Amino acid sequence: MSRAATSRAERDDAARTRAMSEPGHHRRVTLADVAQAAAVSSATASRALADDARISLTTRGRVRAAADRLGYVPNAAARSLRARATRTLGLLLAELDDPVHAQVAAGFEQEAGARGYTVLIITGLTEPAHERRALKVFVEHQTDGIALVSTILAPAEVMSFARPDRVVFVQADHPSLAGYRLDPPTGSIRAGEAAGIEDAVRYLLASGYREFGYLGTGATATNLTRRAAVERALRAGVRRPLRRFAVGARGWRSGDAIAQRIARSLPEALICYDDKLALAVMDGLRAQGIDVPGEVAIIGFDGIPFAALSNPRLSTIASPSLEM
């Protein structure tokens, strides 16, 4: 291109940019605009923006410069139709304010973003109807893959919404999965929580504790498996029955009420389903004048950051939430 032609193209480009930036102008900058500004065909502009090696470095640079000047943003929807992929992943969480799920979401979004994916996050609130609606939204948006954290739906039902090879279960919680022997053979991620709990019980036994309690959250696979791990570890150490206490999925929000029930049959050591429950109980028992850990030792599960901020600090079994 001659110098005169280049100058004319630049003037036209500048005029086009000014027009698009005028008040009231809402037309989206298209690939054709970029191609015209760079004096190439639309096909060449598309390949240049995709860093196609068939296009010379000089042309690629000129097209990118034109795209930057015009403020060109690729049409993701159109690109998805062409590629038959949306570069979007669905992530189902029980609650956004749960510290463990927040860590899982942070790790998931970080890894997805590094690979050029956008994440669509929906909460299921541990209710089947909410989880089914979330799955429908993921399917409607044609997400390329779906991860479900602590879902209470049966794997077979989840698979009725999406292809098995595009679904990952993280700590799946349907009661039929207790013990994890029936976990989906592919796409299932769990922490080694049973071994961690057994280690904690053995530690307490070695420290002289003989009266144990377990505070759980109901008929979920994770809770049933953790309770069974406590019972297994106790069989080798004590013959006294395990004192069972249970609350709903969000029972940790009522620490005083839980603590009153536990105080009536106070064990020497209390193992809690997770750190949220453990911290709530610690606070509730102290409010009733019960010394923690003097009168009762408490152990949580997950290793959330708040566990290190409590007074006294909460003993806990750390779970690799971010890595999961």
Side-chain angles (χ1 to χ4, degrees), residues 56-276:
S56 71
L57 286 172
T58 301
T59 301
R60 276 183 266 171
R62 192 167 74 248
V63 171
R64 286 197 206 98
D68 290 342
R69 286 196 305 273
L70 295 176
Y72 172 68
V73 178
N75 188 326
R79 186 171 57 197
S80 297
L81 287 173
R82 290 193 299 272
R84 297 178 181 270
T86 61
R87 305 295 292 177
T88 302
L89 300 176
L91 178 62
L92 173 67
L93 302 173
E95 295 178 298
L96 280 173
D97 61 354
D98 182 285
V100 173
H101 289 184
Q103 285 185 304
V104 173
F108 190 92
E109 200 282 331
Q110 177 180 321
E111 291 296 323
R115 289 160 175 75
Y117 282 83
T118 298
V119 180
L120 177 59
I121 299 177
I122 302 179
T123 55
L125 303 177
T126 318
E127 295 180 10
H130 284 281
E131 293 193 357
R132 292 186 189 106
R133 277 198 292 272
L135 285 169
K136 289 178 181 177
V137 170
F138 292 148
V139 172
E140 289 170 0
H141 283 74
Q142 299 181 319
T143 54
D144 296 334
I146 300 171
L148 303 99
V149 184
S150 300
T151 177
I152 57 174
L153 296 179
E157 182 175 3
V158 173
M159 300 307 184
S160 70
F161 286 89
R163 285 170 40 180
D165 62 341
R166 296 196 176 188
V167 175
V168 172
F169 294 88
V170 183
Q171 300 288 96
D173 250 347
H174 189 269
S176 66
L177 302 178
Y180 309 149
R181 291 181 299 277
L182 300 177
D183 260 0
T186 59
S188 182
I189 299 173
R190 291 192 184 277
E193 52 196 1
I197 284 183
E198 289 174 9
D199 284 344
V201 172
R202 284 192 287 268
Y203 169 78
L204 290 169
L205 288 170
S207 301
Y209 294 96
R210 291 296 180 269
E211 295 180 356
F212 285 77
Y214 176 77
L215 175 59
T217 58
T220 65
T222 305
N223 180 61
L224 294 173
T225 302
R226 293 178 186 180
R227 190 180 71 195
V230 175
E231 292 171 336
R232 237 182 353 263
L234 286 178
R235 286 193 202 110
V238 297
R239 297 188 181 277
R240 299 176 190 177
L242 177 69
R243 300 178 192 177
R244 297 181 179 183
F245 305 95
V247 296
R250 303 180 190 179
W252 63 273
R253 300 177 187 272
S254 306
D256 288 341
I258 304 168
Q260 288 173 14
R261 286 160 45 200
I262 293 173
R264 290 195 289 268
S265 180
L266 192 67
E268 294 177 346
L270 179 68
I271 298 173
C272 298
Y273 170 78
D274 63 14
D275 289 345
K276 299 194 305 296

